[in-house]
Amino acid sequence: MNYVLEYWNAIQDGKVTVSKRVYKTYARLVADIQNQTGNYIFDEKKANKPIRFIEEFTRHSKGEWAGKPVKLELFQKAYISALFGFVHKETGLRRYKETMFMVARKNGKSTMLSGIALYMLTADNEPGSEVFSVASKKDQAKIVFDETQNMVKQSPELNQYIKKRKTDLYFPMSMAKFQPLGKNSDTLDGLNAHCVIMDELHSIKDRNLYEVMKQSQSARRQPLMVMITTAGTVRECIFDDMYAYACGIVDGTFTDDTFLPVLYELDSREEYSDPKSWEKANPGLGSIKKASDLADKVERAKNSPKDLSGILCKDFNVRETMSSAWLTFDDINNESKFGIERFRGSFGIGGADLSITTDLTCATMLMMDKDTQERFVKQMYWLPSESLQHRVQQDKIPYDKWLDQGLLRLCNGNSINYSDVTAWFLEMVNDHGITPAWIYYDSYSAKYWVEEMESHGFRMIRCIQGAKTLSLPMQMMGADLQSNKINYNNSPILKWCLTNTGIQTDRNGNIVPIKNQGAKSRIDGTASLLDSYVGLYEHYNEFLNAI
């Protein structure tokens, strides 16, 4: 039985309602199963092995089902099948080494986690397997551990072979252990983890905990890190970083063949009042989670802002933030491409968003077709060379791949050399014959760079980064993106910046861009394009007559 295909058919037939990102994930998984032309194939036997193990050997430990065999729901079987079924066609080793599974509370995640932990402990053919449940506090980590221990007690087969020691569960046949760990990094050195389980990722504020556990898996043949969580209320933490990374993979902003993202969430905040949409965040609704209980919570929340914030976050996986979303991925996505040579001998409008070390530096050239008034965008990004590998490994953003694609350049040393930005604008003029009529730069730019640019004859205009200057051009840019009037050559790095962009609205309805994702996300490409749009807004007729 292929549970991935069975789940996909249920989605297609309308028997199962899922979020847009879950739909995209399974559409891609099904395509990979059917094509099998890359480095990975789908091995149905390996996909079903952990499912058979869980259903044959594990027992519920609590409530009305205590002592009864665990019977996984279809959404759980499809997820486990995908996680374990894709293997390298030559080595037979698992494709996925890391996964983020986001689901609302009370959808059976602890039971599924415990089942996966027991399988990785005893049946994954890994000698000396070390399985860890990890959280900021050891008490949180012990939730999955205690559930697993109780499962073992309820199962005659597992109880016969798995022993409880002082700090862990021990499987003598392969000298394997399962242990809960807190965040104290001093106790985490020297681990050789085969499987790491991070339950409620949103509660982990220390990224170092993730990095240490990830590094502890480096000696294993096919390690697995499982992050299962609801949405969180604390921003700028590891959850936001991993959520942004997972969304980037699902949305096609960048590729990671070893990371499986499955994100059960509402597609919009407003859907919380529509019972037909509840299943998007609650795949176990009606079977594991009681629909009547959720309906009562929703009714109560409609009259209580405090309760509403809680259920949006925990029952529907809507991340509550101070900012609001700007555009959807579908609004942003434009896969059209163009050749830069078509604009030789024409004018453009430049934009520049400079940084020193942490953020990206981005330069933009905005062109326009006089007849169709379609906009065309050419950009370049810069990072300090000394920080590249650190940023790739820590931020989990493919800066190295963008470098290979020619979308990103490196500046020598540990800071940005603004003369490299000047050189790019000169390339646009000398190599491509495109002259910027104006270059709008953010008001925090270095004075010496502006003077250097002016010495080359560029007309530089300071762009104040406030609502009075940015609001109308940003509204104009958003409308153009939604109508597919901006062709940015399907640049993954600009697409990523746009998806990271949220808006902050003042009492007069004016908007400015802000980061809508984690601390590692960047919106510099958006900011640079917006600077050029300020120029387009202020000189529209003049620019149209000049091209």
Side-chain angles (χ1 to χ4, degrees), residues 7-23:
Y7 190 51
W8 176 247
N9 290 334
I11 294 171
Q12 293 291 89
D13 294 342
K15 297 177 182 178
V16 172
T17 302
V18 297
S19 66
K20 290 180 180 179
R21 288 193 169 112
V22 170
Y23 185 95

Side-chain angles (χ1 to χ4, degrees), residues 268-286:
S268 68
R269 189 180 191 274
E270 292 71 27
E271 288 180 331
Y272 88 92
S273 61
D274 178 13
K276 294 179 181 179
S277 298
W278 292 351
E279 191 181 354
K280 291 181 179 181
N282 296 275
L285 192 65

Side-chain angles (χ1 to χ4, degrees), residues 227-347:
M227 296 171 285
I228 296 190
T229 187
T230 57
T233 56
V234 179
R235 297 279 69 87
E236 306 298 305
C237 64
I238 180 64
F239 169 82
D240 272 5
D241 292 344
M242 300 312 301
Y243 177 77
Y245 189 68
C247 291
I249 294 170
V250 176
D251 295 338
T253 307
F254 40 80
T255 302
D256 186 341
D257 285 336
T258 66
F259 191 108
L260 176 62
V262 179
L263 307 174
Y264 287 99
E265 60 187 348
L266 295 188
D267 293 317
S268 68
R269 189 180 191 274
E270 292 71 27
E271 288 180 331
Y272 88 92
S273 61
D274 178 13
K276 294 179 181 179
S277 298
W278 292 351
E279 191 181 354
K280 291 181 179 181
N282 296 275
L285 192 65
S287 56
I288 302 175
K289 185 172 183 172
K290 293 182 179 179
S292 58
D293 289 348
L294 183 57
D296 290 342
K297 287 182 181 179
V298 169
E299 284 303 312
R300 185 165 59 250
K302 287 179 180 178
N303 300 311
S304 171
K306 184 178 179 180
D307 288 338
L308 178 59
S309 178
I311 72 160
L312 283 172
C313 181
K314 296 302 181 183
D315 289 288
F316 296 117
N317 282 334
V318 175
R319 296 182 311 144
E320 291 289 87
T321 65
M322 294 179 64
S323 66
S324 57
W326 181 37
L327 300 173
T328 68
F329 179 80
D330 290 335
D331 291 335
I332 291 163
N333 190 39
N334 185 350
E335 299 180 3
S336 301
K337 294 189 176 183
F338 67 94
I340 193 70
E341 283 301 303
R342 69 177 288 182
F343 294 102
R344 182 172 290 277
S346 66
F347 288 100

Side-chain angles (χ1 to χ4, degrees), residues 368-421:
M368 190 164 70
D369 184 294
K370 186 169 186 175
D371 296 326
T372 65
Q373 296 186 27
E374 182 179 3
R375 285 76 154 129
F376 296 85
V377 177
K378 175 73 173 177
Q379 286 189 328
M380 183 53 65
Y381 294 81
W382 289 266
L383 274 179
S385 60
E386 291 185 6
S387 66
L388 176 66
Q389 291 306 316
H390 176 73
R391 298 282 291 277
V392 170
Q393 294 169 6
Q394 179 169 308
D395 295 3
K396 292 186 71 66
I397 305 300
Y399 294 116
D400 52 346
K401 294 180 180 179
W402 292 335
L403 176 66
D404 293 340
Q405 294 169 16
L407 302 171
L408 174 72
R409 295 179 181 178
L410 299 179
C411 298
N412 291 330
N414 59 7
S415 62
I416 298 295
N417 183 350
Y418 299 144
S419 292
D420 291 343
V421 182

Side-chain angles (χ1 to χ4, degrees), residues 19 52 55 62 79 105 111 122 210 274 304 312 340 361-362 368 400 503 543:
S19 66
R52 290 201 312 273
E55 295 195 329
K62 297 177 182 178
Y79 170 66
R105 61 184 167 187
T111 299
T122 64
Y210 166 83
D274 178 13
S304 171
L312 283 172
I340 193 70
T361 283
C362 179
M368 190 164 70
D400 52 346
I503 56 172
F543 183 62

Side-chain angles (χ1 to χ4, degrees), residues 157-172:
E157 297 88 354
L158 296 178
N159 197 33
Q160 183 179 353
Y161 295 105
I162 298 176
K163 308 302 178 184
K164 172 66 174 73
R165 301 192 300 191
K166 184 176 181 180
T167 60
D168 62 25
L169 293 175
Y170 184 63
F171 183 57

Side-chain angles (χ1 to χ4, degrees), residues 474-487:
M474 189 172 184
Q475 293 176 47
M476 176 182 173
M477 189 169 91
D480 287 348
L481 284 165
Q482 288 177 310
S483 59
N484 271 353
K485 286 182 66 175
I486 302 179
N487 184 331

